[in-house]
Amino acid sequence: SYLFIYLFYYITTKATQFFNSGHTNNWAVLVCTSRFWFNYRHVANVLSVYRSVKRLGIPDSHIVLMLADDMACNHRNPKPATVFSHKNMELNVYGDDVEVDYRGYEVTVENFLRVLTGRLPPSTPRSKRLLSDDRSNILIYLTGHGGNGFLKFQDSEEISNVELADAFEQMWQKRRYNELLFIIDTCQGASMYERFYSPNIMALASSQVGEDSLSHQPDLAIGVHLMDRYTFYLLEFLEDIHPASQANMNDLFKVCPKSQCVSTPGHRTDLFLRDPRSVLITDFFGSVRKVEITREAVNLTSAAEQPVEATKEPKSEPLSYVDQLPVAEIIHQKPKQKDWHPPDGFILGLWTLILLVFFKTYGIKHLKHIF
Amino acid sequence: MAAPLTLVLVLAVTIRAVLFRSSLAELISERVEVVSPLNAWKRVVEGLALLDLGVSPYSGDVFHETPLIIYLFHFVVDYAEIVFMIADGITAVCLYLAVQNYNKNVFRKQKYALEADRYPHDCLELMRSPREMHYIPLKVAMFYLLNPFTILSCVAKSTCGLNNAVIALFILSTLKGSALLSAIFLALATYQSIYPLTLFAPALLFLLQRLYIPVNLCRSSFWFFTLQYAFMFVGSLVVIVCLSFFLLGSWDFIPSVYGFILSVPDLTPNIGLFWYFFAEMFEHFRFFFICVFQINIFFYTIPLSIKLKEHPVFLIFMQIAIISIFKSYPTVGDIALYMAFLPAWSHLYRFLRNIFLVSCVLLACSALFPVLWHLWIYAGSANSNFYYAITLLFNVGQILLVSDYFYAYLRREHHLSQGLYLRRKDGSEATLVLK
């Protein structure tokens, strides 16, 4: 009987772990709110988060990417069709498969709020909608210029923290999210999450009220600052995350301490029901499915025997998700810059021929005059 | 003579370097008269970029250079300007040495003929002296390096400069008498663009002449040497083509390069004759006219070789001129190559009939090309007919130039055998007329 109690306990903990997070799909809303060439870094910020999110498994159909300006094809870009996030151009975050949903002047406060609340005209295409449900974990990332209580859009309008909090409440009441992770990288970013009052929201910001978020490195060839500090270190942190990673939110809170960021990043977890320590990064940044690979056939026909079989299953090889994933292939997915080199056989053949002709024409005996 | 040549080289390099650094370089590399789809530098860079992205550069209609050019520029693409200046320098030095060699031969033959008393007595004023021939090689090098056409072509970084260098190396090796090198460079030149194939005949004639093998179809020595030379040429061509296969591992380059040259799909206006015709051609007749136009280039080889059997170097000049005029995508760089030879025939000046007209036509057309292009493309007040008229006139001027020199050469040869002051049978004065 002790064995039975132990088994039962084991099963339930396994089951609770299995159904722990409560979400079945992931969405991401990534917004860059500033235009003009000197705000290159905001576009690079968003594109690096986009890249990480896509790499970890969220498909483009579940990402709403809003870029207020086109840096890759800007006339002032000396390396057209690229947006770099590292100095020395190590990482081009504008690869060949970036799908921008809202671009240029379509990035407005109204459109952003409509995307969040779902109140879009019927003619809006699916790629521009946030079709989340009550089992969706949504990542919302905002970057641009901001101040105490507001975020500037397109240099002409602003969204206030009250509006944002009300939009999230609308989303909660319409059951449009299961859990929400809100990240903002602007000056005085912490002011934007002060007014939230809906449950299940976790928020991170790059700087406190009264502090400025600073940019990271300028690139002398491109001529502008490439990234903001907080997002730069966030990207560095995320590059080490792979779909089977067990890193949790506490690690995310530690990204970019004051020594690196100059500003003090802040976070808010009081509205969140779960303990941040048990929340995986991939719950928001990746699109991790709960899959267990089995090599045995599962008998679904005899319903009466199922509870007996359910107790027997965990006995044979409980495989966790981590073990089933080829981790080494997914980690550090930086695109490799392939350079073409002529094949060695070609070089060998060509120079052999040239030497042969040379010796045929001038004779071997002339060699002694050369050497 | 090395010092003046070095001076000319330094001057040429200075001019090119100054132009490379100025803002004109961008402007010139976009002119259609200077670059064509075959040899534009923009396309070379594009092809190399495609290769770095892992795509074959021959996919799509961008890149029409041969794989050996890919290999060359893969390593020197950052130093492209220096490469083109070196190519021009090589061409000039090769032409210098070739013409020097040729002049020595000419003078030697003239001396033997004079000793054998083969010239009529009133032809002595047609004789050439070493003093007048002393500066001709330098003039040839100067004509090539300081020709505005060459400078434009070099500043635009058109690979025509490399083609010219290979042809100049071929001419030098032929004139030095090395059959193997001559075959190899001819194979390289043919591999780059197909038309130098027509230079096979004059090279063969020259080498036969040098080895004192008479050009008689019945003789076995003639056939023996011809087969040897042809074997070397075809062999090197096959080796080079197979080697290019191994560069990219595919035969894509053959339709992209040779198919492109022969079938002329790209009808961007240039200074040639093909684009306008084929822009208005009905599809039904296109193949027929492509064949006609292409055969036109190869066609002149046989009659000219028969006529100029004894004078293969002049035949080389004529062939290069015909190639530059009638090829499918000519540029001013091709023209510069045959114009470099003109000082070698400066003794023919007294027999040239249309030189004033021809030079005026060529100068005026060169000046009108950019004007009418601007009027057509930018101002919109002219149309393609205007530009094509100037193209036609330019080519007519070139043809007149070449045929004038041909006439003058033949006339001098005639005088050398028949005497300078011709008399009819009844003793009255006669003039030579070209019918």
Side-chain angles (χ1 to χ4, degrees):
Chain A
S1 63
Y2 277 125
L3 189 66
F4 189 71
I5 294 168
Y6 172 71
L7 268 176
F8 187 69
Y9 179 68
Y10 185 67
I11 292 161
T12 42
T13 43
K14 274 285 179 201
T16 42
Q17 268 178 21
F18 196 83
F19 294 109
N20 228 347
S21 62
H23 73 283
T24 58
N25 55 71
N26 286 84
W27 284 82
V29 179
L30 311 172
V31 184
C32 160
T33 58
S34 32
R35 56 172 36 242
F36 305 126
W37 172 246
F38 47 82
N39 290 323
Y40 182 103
R41 58 190 186 280
H42 296 142
V43 173
N45 288 350
V46 174
L47 283 175
S48 20
V49 177
Y50 172 77
R51 172 206 149 71
S52 308
V53 146
K54 233 172 114 151
R55 185 175 59 85
L56 291 171
I58 302 188
D60 275 311
S61 53
H62 283 228
I63 303 178
V64 178
L65 178 63
M66 305 171 79
L67 295 180
D69 202 357
D70 181 11
M71 296 307 168
C73 300
N74 194 309
H75 298 297
R76 293 169 72 169
N77 192 347
K79 313 268 173 184
T82 57
V83 174
F84 289 106
S85 65
H86 278 57
K87 186 175 62 169
N88 299 329
M89 284 161 264
E90 284 161 20
L91 190 57
N92 174 18
V93 289
Y94 195 84
D96 343 344
D97 55 352
V98 169
E99 274 187 33
V100 182
D101 302 305
Y102 285 84
R103 62 191 63 178
Y105 288 109
E106 291 171 359
V107 178
T108 59
V109 174
E110 182 187 339
N111 279 347
F112 176 59
L113 290 176
R114 282 188 184 280
V115 163
L116 286 182
T117 55
R119 292 161 69 171
L120 289 158
S123 57
T124 320
R126 283 180 75 96
S127 58
K128 286 184 157 164
R129 288 178 187 262
L130 178 66
L131 297 165
S132 55
D133 53 25
D134 65 328
R135 282 271 180 246
S136 308
N137 275 11
I138 310 183
L139 164 73
I140 299 186
Y141 177 84
L142 297 177
T143 185
H145 289 287
N148 190 352
F150 67 92
L151 169 64
K152 189 168 76 160
F153 266 70
Q154 301 270 17
D155 209 22
S156 61
E157 53 180 2
E158 59 199 32
I159 186 171
S160 68
N161 48 5
V162 177
E163 283 176 336
L164 198 56
D166 285 341
F168 286 159
E169 177 63 17
Q170 275 194 50
M171 285 174 80
W172 173 252
Q173 293 200 0
K174 290 164 77 168
R175 299 283 181 263
R176 278 171 70 74
Y177 70 89
N178 176 34
E179 283 167 349
L180 202 93
L181 176 63
F182 176 78
I183 305 184
I184 185 161
D185 187 351
T186 63
C187 304
Q188 308 190 47
S191 62
M192 289 305 283
Y193 61 63
E194 274 170 358
R195 298 292 197 124
F196 291 166
Y197 54 93
S198 318
N200 266 349
I201 301 184
M202 194 182 322
L204 284 105
S206 58
S207 53
Q208 301 293 335
V209 175
E211 283 179 352
D212 285 337
S213 279
L214 300 176
S215 57
H216 184 62
Q217 328 154 319
D219 181 287
L220 293 173
I222 298 181
V224 285
H225 286 260
L226 295 185
M227 281 275 266
D228 282 332
R229 282 175 191 250
Y230 182 73
T231 313
F232 181 82
Y233 291 106
L234 182 67
L235 176 67
E236 242 180 40
F237 171 74
L238 285 174
E239 285 285 299
D240 286 332
I241 305 289
H242 53 87
S245 168
Q246 296 290 306
N248 56 42
M249 282 298 164
N250 279 345
D251 304 322
L252 193 60
F253 296 152
K254 290 198 203 102
V255 163
C256 207
K258 191 171 164 95
S259 54
Q260 282 174 329
C261 253
V262 185
S263 57
T264 320
H267 54 89
R268 181 178 175 180
T269 53
D270 53 312
L271 295 166
F272 205 76
L273 292 176
R274 289 193 288 154
D275 183 9
R277 201 179 42 215
S278 64
V279 179
L280 297 177
I281 301 279
T282 50
D283 279 352
F284 289 101
F285 282 91
S287 180
V288 176
R289 300 272 184 269
K290 292 282 188 274
V291 175
E292 226 177 82
I293 302 170
T294 168
R295 292 188 199 282
E296 305 143 352
V298 175
N299 198 345
L300 296 167
T301 46
S302 45
E305 289 150 26
Q306 264 186 354
V308 182
E309 280 175 34
T311 57
K312 284 203 188 123
E313 262 179 44
K315 259 199 254 181
S316 56
E317 297 174 24
L319 289 162
S320 71
Y321 186 68
V322 186
D323 301 326
Q324 290 165 76
L325 213 60
V327 169
E329 292 165 14
I330 304 174
I331 203 165
H332 289 306
Q333 289 167 352
K334 275 202 183 59
K336 279 184 278 275
Q337 190 70 351
K338 269 191 277 266
D339 251 328
W340 176 80
H341 291 287
D344 297 322
F346 173 81
I347 302 178
L348 195 69
L350 184 68
W351 288 100
T352 317
L353 281 171
I354 292 176
L355 280 172
L356 274 173
V357 170
F358 180 74
F359 286 143
K360 174 77 174 60
T361 323
Y362 291 105
I364 306 258
K365 62 182 188 300
H366 288 283
L367 272 185
K368 68 178 192 294
H369 293 292
I370 306 173
F371 293 106
Chain B
M1 289 295 283
L5 180 63
T6 323
L7 200 64
V8 169
L9 274 172
V10 165
L11 180 63
V13 166
T14 317
I15 297 179
R16 282 163 174 77
V18 163
L19 278 175
F20 270 129
R21 289 282 159 259
S22 73
S23 62
L24 284 177
E26 289 288 318
L27 198 72
I28 293 172
S29 38
E30 316 216 323
R31 299 290 328 161
V32 286
E33 296 96 11
V34 185
V35 294
S36 73
L38 270 180
N39 50 29
W41 176 246
K42 205 168 53 155
R43 287 175 183 253
V44 172
V45 172
E46 185 84 25
L48 289 175
L50 280 175
L51 206 50
D52 272 338
L53 286 173
V55 175
S56 159
Y58 296 112
S59 53
D61 190 37
V62 161
F63 187 70
H64 300 289
E65 301 274 1
T66 53
L68 280 181
I69 297 271
I70 297 181
Y71 176 64
L72 173 72
F73 280 116
H74 178 69
F75 296 107
V76 299
V77 70
D78 298 321
Y79 307 107
E81 299 160 359
I82 301 180
V83 168
F84 285 107
M85 285 201 272
I86 291 177
D88 272 354
I90 289 177
T91 317
V93 168
C94 289
L95 288 176
Y96 176 90
L97 294 170
V99 173
Q100 206 176 39
N101 204 332
Y102 172 64
N103 281 350
K104 281 203 196 99
N105 280 345
V106 159
F107 187 64
R108 201 167 45 108
K109 281 203 191 103
Q110 189 179 267
K111 202 166 67 147
Y112 292 155
L114 272 175
E115 284 169 6
D117 205 19
R118 275 200 290 191
Y119 294 141
H121 293 283
D122 49 3
C123 285
L124 289 174
E125 52 191 83
L126 290 179
M127 292 296 114
R128 306 175 68 187
S129 65
R131 194 193 301 172
E132 96 193 28
M133 296 193 336
H134 184 61
Y135 282 109
I136 289 180
L138 183 66
K139 278 191 209 161
V140 165
M142 213 162 65
F143 256 59
Y144 184 75
L145 282 174
L146 301 178
N147 193 346
F149 289 155
T150 328
I151 296 180
L152 282 177
S153 178
C154 183
V155 172
K157 290 195 275 215
S158 147
T159 55
C160 190
L162 295 175
N163 283 13
N164 286 357
V166 176
I167 296 179
L169 280 165
F170 154 72
I171 294 174
L172 177 65
S173 53
T174 313
L175 287 179
K176 289 279 186 190
S178 159
L180 176 67
L181 273 183
S182 156
I184 290 176
F185 283 121
L186 186 62
L188 260 179
T190 313
Y191 164 77
Q192 282 285 102
S193 61
I194 306 176
Y195 301 113
L197 182 61
T198 55
L199 292 170
F200 180 80
L204 183 64
L205 284 171
F206 184 84
L207 290 166
L208 285 171
Q209 197 183 60
R210 201 185 148 90
L211 293 172
Y212 301 111
I213 302 173
V215 184
N216 196 341
L217 285 167
C218 311
R219 288 195 167 231
S220 63
S221 54
F222 165 73
W223 284 114
F224 184 64
F225 186 79
T226 313
L227 281 172
Q228 234 182 354
Y229 190 64
F231 177 71
M232 282 193 281
F233 169 65
V234 170
S236 7
L237 190 60
V238 163
V239 163
I240 293 174
V241 167
C242 290
L243 202 62
S244 336
F245 167 73
F246 285 115
L247 185 75
L248 287 172
S250 71
W251 294 108
D252 285 348
F253 71 97
I254 292 186
S256 262
V257 181
Y258 304 120
F260 185 80
I261 297 176
L262 287 176
S263 67
V264 192
D266 187 319
L267 296 176
T268 325
N270 48 45
I271 56 175
L273 300 162
F274 281 62
W275 59 278
Y276 190 81
F277 260 85
F278 290 98
E280 60 182 11
M281 186 74 57
F282 288 117
E283 279 302 314
H284 189 63
F285 299 104
R286 197 188 153 90
F287 182 63
F288 171 67
F289 276 100
I290 290 263
C291 294
V292 166
F293 273 66
Q294 299 287 5
I295 289 173
N296 188 31
I297 309 178
F298 295 98
F299 188 71
Y300 293 102
T301 315
I302 300 187
L304 279 176
S305 330
I306 295 174
K307 183 67 187 168
L308 290 170
K309 237 183 348 208
E310 320 288 323
H311 316 285
V313 181
F314 192 75
L315 182 58
I316 291 183
F317 164 71
M318 291 282 294
Q319 281 293 6
I320 295 180
I322 287 170
I323 292 173
S324 319
I325 299 172
F326 292 113
K327 72 191 284 201
S328 43
Y329 293 100
T331 59
V332 293
D334 303 308
I335 297 171
L337 185 61
Y338 78 81
M339 279 200 179
F341 276 97
L342 295 182
W345 325 118
S346 53
H347 59 282
L348 299 172
Y349 180 71
R350 59 184 294 172
F351 297 118
L352 290 173
R353 291 184 310 167
N354 303 324
I355 196 66
F356 177 66
L357 179 68
V358 162
S359 44
C360 285
V361 163
L362 289 178
L363 276 172
C365 289
S366 317
L368 277 176
F369 271 123
V371 169
L372 285 169
W373 179 262
H374 179 85
L375 273 181
W376 172 24
I377 300 286
Y378 296 106
S381 51
N383 57 36
S384 59
N385 297 321
F386 291 68
Y387 194 76
Y388 190 60
I390 298 299
T391 305
L392 267 181
L393 196 57
F394 190 70
N395 285 321
V396 163
Q398 283 184 74
I399 294 171
L400 260 181
L401 175 73
V402 171
S403 56
D404 217 12
Y405 268 95
F406 189 40
Y407 163 78
Y409 195 86
L410 289 178
R411 184 162 167 182
R412 180 173 175 270
E413 294 303 312
H414 179 89
H415 281 308
L416 281 179
S417 57
Q418 308 289 349
L420 191 53
Y421 298 105
L422 304 163
R423 303 241 164 257
R424 274 193 227 149
K425 289 206 179 61
D426 54 0
S428 59
E429 205 177 314
T431 4
L432 210 51
V433 172
L434 187 69
K435 270 222 161 141

